[in-house]
Amino acid sequence: MELSNKMKKLPKQFFASLVQKVGAAVAEGRDVINLGQGNPDQPTPPHIVKALQQSAENPLSHKYSLFRGLPEFKQAAADFYKREYNVDLDPETEVAILFGTKVGLVELPMAMLNPGDLMLLPDPGYPDYLSGIALAEVQFETMPLKPENGFLPDYDALPDEVKERAKLLYINYPNNPTGAVADSAFFEKTVAFAKEHNIAISHDFAYAAIGFDGERPPSFLQAEGAKEVGIEMYTLSKTYNMAGWRVGFAVGNADMIEAINLIQDHLFCSLFPAVQHAAIAALTESQECVDELVALYEGRRNALVEECHRIGWNVEAPKGSFFAWLSVPEGYSSEQFADLLLEKADIAVAPGNGFGEYGEGYVRAGLLVDKERLREGVRRIEKLKLF
Ligand SMILES: Cc1ncc(COP(=O)(O)O)c(C=O)c1O
């Protein structure tokens, strides 16, 4: 059957071929260390699972949720932002519940822009941003994230006509794929840039909780005036290992929140109430599980970086997220190096060019296997005598 022109324009899933290659290697019985994906390996903390179980047994949870979700969940999100970031939010007008932030990031351009409008995206960046571009039929320009700028975009370097035409801008810190963390000064600069050029901001805070070396990644909404220009998307997928549950929320600018809620009124009937109750438990009960998780990732990061340095691979330690952004040795493209690691060392990593042009020269490794497996991975690479 013929599909719509819009469907034909959807971007190809770059990482589908990686998944296929890894699947084929595993099917051959090879012991692949898979660092290619971004799926948390730890289980959801038991008190959150219990909250789901209890709610699932209550017949009230079997009905349609309110269109825009449970008021208690929105209140919990607002309280969470007050407690964690000292940000004040009105739960009714400044919080929108999401089926995971992927949905929010994809629907926002449709809710805010007209076909042909211009968006700004980071390069390298999370590939699903491009899905929203295609569905809304908008145009985009990229903002290079370069190591010399700490993988932050340089707004001053953008051409004037791009600054004038752009209506919506996405940023993401702690960053996937580079592991970079933004400071408050950068967010303040972002607010000033947004005000000067009348651009709406959406900060993807997917790795909010995961900052290393005692540094807590700041929220974009802590910057003065941030709520006047933008929103932040917060997922429970990473902070609480709830990737399969599909739950997150957007917070901030009331007009943008209303745009999200309005489009969602026509797409969904909010989330299964039991998932919302579990999310409330995650946000309001003890946060010890989060501290433990960050310590686990930090231990893995240290093990990986230490081993890489031992074999002479001069990699930078990520400051946050659960990814390491590793520079590729001379003579290889990102894809050639990723293929080499899979073929000769049974290690899967994501080639950096899959995240954009400025990802070339890097591969992304997820800190999503235990320390010993990470060390074993580097020992296998050592045998290739590349460094
Ligand atoms: C940068 C970034 N943003 C958003 C998401 C989407 O998260 P979710 O849809 O699970 O909330 C991910 C998931 O990997 C991500 O890496």
PDB file of all heavy atoms in Angstrom, residues 55 60-61 64-76 91-92 95 97 270-278 280:
ATOM      1  N   SER A  55      -1.352  -0.228  42.832  1.00  0.00           N
ATOM      2  CA  SER A  55      -2.287   0.575  42.057  1.00  0.00           C
ATOM      3  C   SER A  55      -2.995  -0.290  41.020  1.00  0.00           C
ATOM      4  O   SER A  55      -4.190  -0.111  40.749  1.00  0.00           O
ATOM      5  CB  SER A  55      -1.542   1.726  41.382  1.00  0.00           C
ATOM      6  OG  SER A  55      -2.406   2.437  40.551  1.00  0.00           O
ATOM      7  N   LEU A  60     -10.021   1.474  40.403  1.00  0.00           N
ATOM      8  CA  LEU A  60     -10.016   2.871  39.930  1.00  0.00           C
ATOM      9  C   LEU A  60      -8.908   3.108  38.890  1.00  0.00           C
ATOM     10  O   LEU A  60      -9.025   3.977  38.032  1.00  0.00           O
ATOM     11  CB  LEU A  60      -9.818   3.837  41.110  1.00  0.00           C
ATOM     12  CG  LEU A  60     -11.020   4.020  42.027  1.00  0.00           C
ATOM     13  CD1 LEU A  60     -10.644   4.938  43.186  1.00  0.00           C
ATOM     14  CD2 LEU A  60     -12.213   4.588  41.257  1.00  0.00           C
ATOM     15  N   SER A  61      -7.852   2.302  39.000  1.00  0.00           N
ATOM     16  CA  SER A  61      -6.743   2.442  38.042  1.00  0.00           C
ATOM     17  C   SER A  61      -7.087   1.837  36.680  1.00  0.00           C
ATOM     18  O   SER A  61      -6.310   1.963  35.742  1.00  0.00           O
ATOM     19  CB  SER A  61      -5.480   1.764  38.569  1.00  0.00           C
ATOM     20  OG  SER A  61      -4.986   2.455  39.687  1.00  0.00           O
ATOM     21  N   TYR A  64     -10.158   5.060  32.309  1.00  0.00           N
ATOM     22  CA  TYR A  64      -9.362   6.075  31.622  1.00  0.00           C
ATOM     23  C   TYR A  64      -8.813   7.038  32.667  1.00  0.00           C
ATOM     24  O   TYR A  64      -9.523   7.427  33.593  1.00  0.00           O
ATOM     25  CB  TYR A  64     -10.228   6.891  30.659  1.00  0.00           C
ATOM     26  CG  TYR A  64     -10.698   6.147  29.444  1.00  0.00           C
ATOM     27  CD1 TYR A  64     -12.063   5.947  29.202  1.00  0.00           C
ATOM     28  CD2 TYR A  64      -9.785   5.671  28.509  1.00  0.00           C
ATOM     29  CE1 TYR A  64     -12.498   5.282  28.064  1.00  0.00           C
ATOM     30  CE2 TYR A  64     -10.225   5.004  27.371  1.00  0.00           C
ATOM     31  CZ  TYR A  64     -11.576   4.812  27.142  1.00  0.00           C
ATOM     32  OH  TYR A  64     -12.003   4.170  26.036  1.00  0.00           O
ATOM     33  N   SER A  65      -7.569   7.441  32.463  1.00  0.00           N
ATOM     34  CA  SER A  65      -7.016   8.515  33.295  1.00  0.00           C
ATOM     35  C   SER A  65      -7.644   9.824  32.839  1.00  0.00           C
ATOM     36  O   SER A  65      -8.211   9.904  31.751  1.00  0.00           O
ATOM     37  CB  SER A  65      -5.499   8.561  33.070  1.00  0.00           C
ATOM     38  OG  SER A  65      -4.943   9.672  33.705  1.00  0.00           O
ATOM     39  N   LEU A  66      -7.550  10.861  33.651  1.00  0.00           N
ATOM     40  CA  LEU A  66      -7.884  12.195  33.155  1.00  0.00           C
ATOM     41  C   LEU A  66      -6.987  12.465  31.941  1.00  0.00           C
ATOM     42  O   LEU A  66      -5.852  12.001  31.901  1.00  0.00           O
ATOM     43  CB  LEU A  66      -7.588  13.251  34.226  1.00  0.00           C
ATOM     44  CG  LEU A  66      -8.532  13.268  35.423  1.00  0.00           C
ATOM     45  CD1 LEU A  66      -7.980  14.213  36.493  1.00  0.00           C
ATOM     46  CD2 LEU A  66      -9.919  13.723  34.980  1.00  0.00           C
ATOM     47  N   PHE A  67      -7.515  13.217  30.967  1.00  0.00           N
ATOM     48  CA  PHE A  67      -6.757  13.477  29.745  1.00  0.00           C
ATOM     49  C   PHE A  67      -5.323  13.920  30.022  1.00  0.00           C
ATOM     50  O   PHE A  67      -4.386  13.471  29.385  1.00  0.00           O
ATOM     51  CB  PHE A  67      -7.434  14.568  28.908  1.00  0.00           C
ATOM     52  CG  PHE A  67      -8.405  14.010  27.916  1.00  0.00           C
ATOM     53  CD1 PHE A  67      -9.766  14.022  28.156  1.00  0.00           C
ATOM     54  CD2 PHE A  67      -7.941  13.483  26.717  1.00  0.00           C
ATOM     55  CE1 PHE A  67     -10.656  13.508  27.227  1.00  0.00           C
ATOM     56  CE2 PHE A  67      -8.830  12.967  25.778  1.00  0.00           C
ATOM     57  CZ  PHE A  67     -10.195  12.988  26.038  1.00  0.00           C
ATOM     58  N   ARG A  68      -5.191  14.837  30.948  1.00  0.00           N
ATOM     59  CA  ARG A  68      -3.866  15.422  31.172  1.00  0.00           C
ATOM     60  C   ARG A  68      -3.146  14.809  32.382  1.00  0.00           C
ATOM     61  O   ARG A  68      -2.197  15.403  32.902  1.00  0.00           O
ATOM     62  CB  ARG A  68      -3.984  16.938  31.287  1.00  0.00           C
ATOM     63  CG  ARG A  68      -4.478  17.531  29.966  1.00  0.00           C
ATOM     64  CD  ARG A  68      -4.577  19.017  29.931  1.00  0.00           C
ATOM     65  NE  ARG A  68      -4.954  19.464  28.591  1.00  0.00           N
ATOM     66  CZ  ARG A  68      -4.851  20.712  28.151  1.00  0.00           C
ATOM     67  NH1 ARG A  68      -4.403  21.641  28.953  1.00  0.00           N
ATOM     68  NH2 ARG A  68      -5.209  21.027  26.931  1.00  0.00           N
ATOM     69  N   GLY A  69      -3.605  13.627  32.794  1.00  0.00           N
ATOM     70  CA  GLY A  69      -2.908  12.903  33.846  1.00  0.00           C
ATOM     71  C   GLY A  69      -3.388  13.247  35.242  1.00  0.00           C
ATOM     72  O   GLY A  69      -4.182  14.158  35.446  1.00  0.00           O
ATOM     73  N   LEU A  70      -2.890  12.470  36.205  1.00  0.00           N
ATOM     74  CA  LEU A  70      -3.328  12.626  37.592  1.00  0.00           C
ATOM     75  C   LEU A  70      -2.761  13.908  38.201  1.00  0.00           C
ATOM     76  O   LEU A  70      -1.547  14.146  38.130  1.00  0.00           O
ATOM     77  CB  LEU A  70      -2.834  11.443  38.440  1.00  0.00           C
ATOM     78  CG  LEU A  70      -3.342  10.053  38.052  1.00  0.00           C
ATOM     79  CD1 LEU A  70      -2.679   8.993  38.943  1.00  0.00           C
ATOM     80  CD2 LEU A  70      -4.860   9.986  38.180  1.00  0.00           C
ATOM     81  N   PRO A  71      -3.629  14.719  38.822  1.00  0.00           N
ATOM     82  CA  PRO A  71      -3.121  15.932  39.491  1.00  0.00           C
ATOM     83  C   PRO A  71      -2.028  15.603  40.511  1.00  0.00           C
ATOM     84  O   PRO A  71      -1.070  16.373  40.678  1.00  0.00           O
ATOM     85  CB  PRO A  71      -4.364  16.499  40.191  1.00  0.00           C
ATOM     86  CG  PRO A  71      -5.520  15.921  39.447  1.00  0.00           C
ATOM     87  CD  PRO A  71      -5.074  14.593  38.895  1.00  0.00           C
ATOM     88  N   GLU A  72      -2.148  14.442  41.180  1.00  0.00           N
ATOM     89  CA  GLU A  72      -1.123  14.083  42.189  1.00  0.00           C
ATOM     90  C   GLU A  72       0.246  13.887  41.543  1.00  0.00           C
ATOM     91  O   GLU A  72       1.281  14.144  42.160  1.00  0.00           O
ATOM     92  CB  GLU A  72      -1.468  12.769  42.925  1.00  0.00           C
ATOM     93  CG  GLU A  72      -2.839  12.667  43.500  1.00  0.00           C
ATOM     94  CD  GLU A  72      -3.817  12.020  42.516  1.00  0.00           C
ATOM     95  OE1 GLU A  72      -4.341  12.751  41.632  1.00  0.00           O
ATOM     96  OE2 GLU A  72      -4.086  10.817  42.628  1.00  0.00           O
ATOM     97  N   PHE A  73       0.250  13.377  40.315  1.00  0.00           N
ATOM     98  CA  PHE A  73       1.531  13.170  39.630  1.00  0.00           C
ATOM     99  C   PHE A  73       2.143  14.533  39.275  1.00  0.00           C
ATOM    100  O   PHE A  73       3.327  14.780  39.475  1.00  0.00           O
ATOM    101  CB  PHE A  73       1.325  12.294  38.391  1.00  0.00           C
ATOM    102  CG  PHE A  73       2.580  11.973  37.603  1.00  0.00           C
ATOM    103  CD1 PHE A  73       3.852  12.197  38.116  1.00  0.00           C
ATOM    104  CD2 PHE A  73       2.485  11.423  36.328  1.00  0.00           C
ATOM    105  CE1 PHE A  73       5.002  11.897  37.378  1.00  0.00           C
ATOM    106  CE2 PHE A  73       3.625  11.124  35.591  1.00  0.00           C
ATOM    107  CZ  PHE A  73       4.879  11.368  36.111  1.00  0.00           C
ATOM    108  N   LYS A  74       1.297  15.436  38.785  1.00  0.00           N
ATOM    109  CA  LYS A  74       1.813  16.763  38.422  1.00  0.00           C
ATOM    110  C   LYS A  74       2.328  17.497  39.669  1.00  0.00           C
ATOM    111  O   LYS A  74       3.350  18.172  39.637  1.00  0.00           O
ATOM    112  CB  LYS A  74       0.728  17.577  37.702  1.00  0.00           C
ATOM    113  CG  LYS A  74       0.503  17.045  36.282  1.00  0.00           C
ATOM    114  CD  LYS A  74      -0.470  17.866  35.502  1.00  0.00           C
ATOM    115  CE  LYS A  74      -1.855  17.312  35.602  1.00  0.00           C
ATOM    116  NZ  LYS A  74      -2.794  17.917  34.662  1.00  0.00           N
ATOM    117  N   GLN A  75       1.581  17.321  40.782  1.00  0.00           N
ATOM    118  CA  GLN A  75       2.027  17.920  42.046  1.00  0.00           C
ATOM    119  C   GLN A  75       3.371  17.316  42.462  1.00  0.00           C
ATOM    120  O   GLN A  75       4.284  18.043  42.904  1.00  0.00           O
ATOM    121  CB  GLN A  75       0.967  17.668  43.135  1.00  0.00           C
ATOM    122  CG  GLN A  75       1.283  18.329  44.465  1.00  0.00           C
ATOM    123  CD  GLN A  75       1.221  19.863  44.381  1.00  0.00           C
ATOM    124  OE1 GLN A  75       0.213  20.426  43.957  1.00  0.00           O
ATOM    125  NE2 GLN A  75       2.317  20.535  44.761  1.00  0.00           N
ATOM    126  N   ALA A  76       3.497  15.992  42.306  1.00  0.00           N
ATOM    127  CA  ALA A  76       4.758  15.328  42.688  1.00  0.00           C
ATOM    128  C   ALA A  76       5.914  15.841  41.832  1.00  0.00           C
ATOM    129  O   ALA A  76       7.032  16.036  42.330  1.00  0.00           O
ATOM    130  CB  ALA A  76       4.621  13.810  42.544  1.00  0.00           C
ATOM    131  N   PRO A  91       1.683  23.185  39.246  1.00  0.00           N
ATOM    132  CA  PRO A  91       1.461  21.836  38.700  1.00  0.00           C
ATOM    133  C   PRO A  91       0.400  21.790  37.596  1.00  0.00           C
ATOM    134  O   PRO A  91       0.456  20.937  36.720  1.00  0.00           O
ATOM    135  CB  PRO A  91       1.028  21.011  39.918  1.00  0.00           C
ATOM    136  CG  PRO A  91       0.724  21.973  41.004  1.00  0.00           C
ATOM    137  CD  PRO A  91       1.458  23.259  40.694  1.00  0.00           C
ATOM    138  N   GLU A  92      -0.534  22.680  37.614  1.00  0.00           N
ATOM    139  CA  GLU A  92      -1.611  22.627  36.614  1.00  0.00           C
ATOM    140  C   GLU A  92      -1.214  23.226  35.269  1.00  0.00           C
ATOM    141  O   GLU A  92      -1.602  22.737  34.216  1.00  0.00           O
ATOM    142  CB  GLU A  92      -2.873  23.319  37.157  1.00  0.00           C
ATOM    143  CG  GLU A  92      -3.807  22.351  37.869  1.00  0.00           C
ATOM    144  CD  GLU A  92      -3.969  21.000  37.153  1.00  0.00           C
ATOM    145  OE1 GLU A  92      -4.413  21.003  35.990  1.00  0.00           O
ATOM    146  OE2 GLU A  92      -3.646  19.952  37.753  1.00  0.00           O
ATOM    147  N   VAL A  95       3.289  21.887  34.116  1.00  0.00           N
ATOM    148  CA  VAL A  95       3.738  20.485  34.075  1.00  0.00           C
ATOM    149  C   VAL A  95       2.868  19.735  33.068  1.00  0.00           C
ATOM    150  O   VAL A  95       1.642  19.826  33.125  1.00  0.00           O
ATOM    151  CB  VAL A  95       3.582  19.792  35.460  1.00  0.00           C
ATOM    152  CG1 VAL A  95       4.045  18.337  35.388  1.00  0.00           C
ATOM    153  CG2 VAL A  95       4.325  20.542  36.558  1.00  0.00           C
ATOM    154  N   ILE A  97       2.444  15.758  31.484  1.00  0.00           N
ATOM    155  CA  ILE A  97       2.883  14.371  31.639  1.00  0.00           C
ATOM    156  C   ILE A  97       3.125  13.754  30.255  1.00  0.00           C
ATOM    157  O   ILE A  97       2.360  13.999  29.321  1.00  0.00           O
ATOM    158  CB  ILE A  97       1.816  13.599  32.442  1.00  0.00           C
ATOM    159  CG1 ILE A  97       1.807  14.148  33.870  1.00  0.00           C
ATOM    160  CG2 ILE A  97       2.089  12.098  32.445  1.00  0.00           C
ATOM    161  CD1 ILE A  97       0.676  13.646  34.716  1.00  0.00           C
ATOM    162  N   SER A 270      -3.685  10.090  28.446  1.00  0.00           N
ATOM    163  CA  SER A 270      -2.637   9.983  29.465  1.00  0.00           C
ATOM    164  C   SER A 270      -2.222   8.530  29.718  1.00  0.00           C
ATOM    165  O   SER A 270      -2.583   7.612  28.963  1.00  0.00           O
ATOM    166  CB  SER A 270      -3.014  10.676  30.767  1.00  0.00           C
ATOM    167  OG  SER A 270      -1.820  10.925  31.506  1.00  0.00           O
ATOM    168  N   LEU A 271      -1.444   8.352  30.777  1.00  0.00           N
ATOM    169  CA  LEU A 271      -0.809   7.050  31.022  1.00  0.00           C
ATOM    170  C   LEU A 271      -1.686   6.183  31.925  1.00  0.00           C
ATOM    171  O   LEU A 271      -2.520   6.696  32.667  1.00  0.00           O
ATOM    172  CB  LEU A 271       0.522   7.267  31.760  1.00  0.00           C
ATOM    173  CG  LEU A 271       1.732   7.790  31.011  1.00  0.00           C
ATOM    174  CD1 LEU A 271       1.494   9.157  30.407  1.00  0.00           C
ATOM    175  CD2 LEU A 271       2.922   7.869  31.966  1.00  0.00           C
ATOM    176  N   PHE A 272      -1.411   4.885  31.875  1.00  0.00           N
ATOM    177  CA  PHE A 272      -2.029   3.929  32.801  1.00  0.00           C
ATOM    178  C   PHE A 272      -1.865   4.505  34.219  1.00  0.00           C
ATOM    179  O   PHE A 272      -0.737   4.795  34.645  1.00  0.00           O
ATOM    180  CB  PHE A 272      -1.300   2.592  32.652  1.00  0.00           C
ATOM    181  CG  PHE A 272      -1.756   1.467  33.553  1.00  0.00           C
ATOM    182  CD1 PHE A 272      -3.076   1.372  34.013  1.00  0.00           C
ATOM    183  CD2 PHE A 272      -0.855   0.472  33.913  1.00  0.00           C
ATOM    184  CE1 PHE A 272      -3.470   0.316  34.828  1.00  0.00           C
ATOM    185  CE2 PHE A 272      -1.238  -0.591  34.721  1.00  0.00           C
ATOM    186  CZ  PHE A 272      -2.553  -0.667  35.185  1.00  0.00           C
ATOM    187  N   PRO A 273      -2.960   4.693  34.953  1.00  0.00           N
ATOM    188  CA  PRO A 273      -2.834   5.307  36.286  1.00  0.00           C
ATOM    189  C   PRO A 273      -1.819   4.606  37.195  1.00  0.00           C
ATOM    190  O   PRO A 273      -1.138   5.269  37.992  1.00  0.00           O
ATOM    191  CB  PRO A 273      -4.259   5.200  36.845  1.00  0.00           C
ATOM    192  CG  PRO A 273      -5.121   5.286  35.620  1.00  0.00           C
ATOM    193  CD  PRO A 273      -4.366   4.526  34.554  1.00  0.00           C
ATOM    194  N   ALA A 274      -1.676   3.294  37.052  1.00  0.00           N
ATOM    195  CA  ALA A 274      -0.712   2.592  37.921  1.00  0.00           C
ATOM    196  C   ALA A 274       0.724   3.039  37.618  1.00  0.00           C
ATOM    197  O   ALA A 274       1.560   3.105  38.527  1.00  0.00           O
ATOM    198  CB  ALA A 274      -0.853   1.079  37.751  1.00  0.00           C
ATOM    199  N   VAL A 275       1.006   3.340  36.361  1.00  0.00           N
ATOM    200  CA  VAL A 275       2.338   3.847  36.018  1.00  0.00           C
ATOM    201  C   VAL A 275       2.517   5.240  36.632  1.00  0.00           C
ATOM    202  O   VAL A 275       3.587   5.583  37.139  1.00  0.00           O
ATOM    203  CB  VAL A 275       2.543   3.873  34.483  1.00  0.00           C
ATOM    204  CG1 VAL A 275       3.795   4.654  34.107  1.00  0.00           C
ATOM    205  CG2 VAL A 275       2.618   2.458  33.931  1.00  0.00           C
ATOM    206  N   GLN A 276       1.443   6.023  36.621  1.00  0.00           N
ATOM    207  CA  GLN A 276       1.538   7.361  37.235  1.00  0.00           C
ATOM    208  C   GLN A 276       1.749   7.237  38.741  1.00  0.00           C
ATOM    209  O   GLN A 276       2.529   7.999  39.330  1.00  0.00           O
ATOM    210  CB  GLN A 276       0.276   8.169  36.937  1.00  0.00           C
ATOM    211  CG  GLN A 276       0.083   8.393  35.428  1.00  0.00           C
ATOM    212  CD  GLN A 276      -1.059   9.352  35.144  1.00  0.00           C
ATOM    213  OE1 GLN A 276      -1.024  10.492  35.587  1.00  0.00           O
ATOM    214  NE2 GLN A 276      -2.071   8.890  34.400  1.00  0.00           N
ATOM    215  N   HIS A 277       1.080   6.279  39.380  1.00  0.00           N
ATOM    216  CA  HIS A 277       1.291   6.090  40.824  1.00  0.00           C
ATOM    217  C   HIS A 277       2.730   5.636  41.111  1.00  0.00           C
ATOM    218  O   HIS A 277       3.337   6.062  42.096  1.00  0.00           O
ATOM    219  CB  HIS A 277       0.271   5.086  41.386  1.00  0.00           C
ATOM    220  CG  HIS A 277      -1.092   5.697  41.548  1.00  0.00           C
ATOM    221  ND1 HIS A 277      -2.236   5.143  41.015  1.00  0.00           N
ATOM    222  CD2 HIS A 277      -1.491   6.841  42.151  1.00  0.00           C
ATOM    223  CE1 HIS A 277      -3.276   5.922  41.298  1.00  0.00           C
ATOM    224  NE2 HIS A 277      -2.848   6.957  41.987  1.00  0.00           N
ATOM    225  N   ALA A 278       3.240   4.778  40.249  1.00  0.00           N
ATOM    226  CA  ALA A 278       4.632   4.333  40.434  1.00  0.00           C
ATOM    227  C   ALA A 278       5.576   5.524  40.269  1.00  0.00           C
ATOM    228  O   ALA A 278       6.570   5.664  40.998  1.00  0.00           O
ATOM    229  CB  ALA A 278       4.972   3.244  39.416  1.00  0.00           C
ATOM    230  N   ILE A 280       4.916   8.619  40.946  1.00  0.00           N
ATOM    231  CA  ILE A 280       4.812   9.433  42.169  1.00  0.00           C
ATOM    232  C   ILE A 280       5.719   8.848  43.254  1.00  0.00           C
ATOM    233  O   ILE A 280       6.465   9.570  43.923  1.00  0.00           O
ATOM    234  CB  ILE A 280       3.348   9.504  42.666  1.00  0.00           C
ATOM    235  CG1 ILE A 280       2.481  10.257  41.640  1.00  0.00           C
ATOM    236  CG2 ILE A 280       3.264  10.163  44.044  1.00  0.00           C
ATOM    237  CD1 ILE A 280       0.979  10.166  41.909  1.00  0.00           C
TER     238      ILE A 280
END
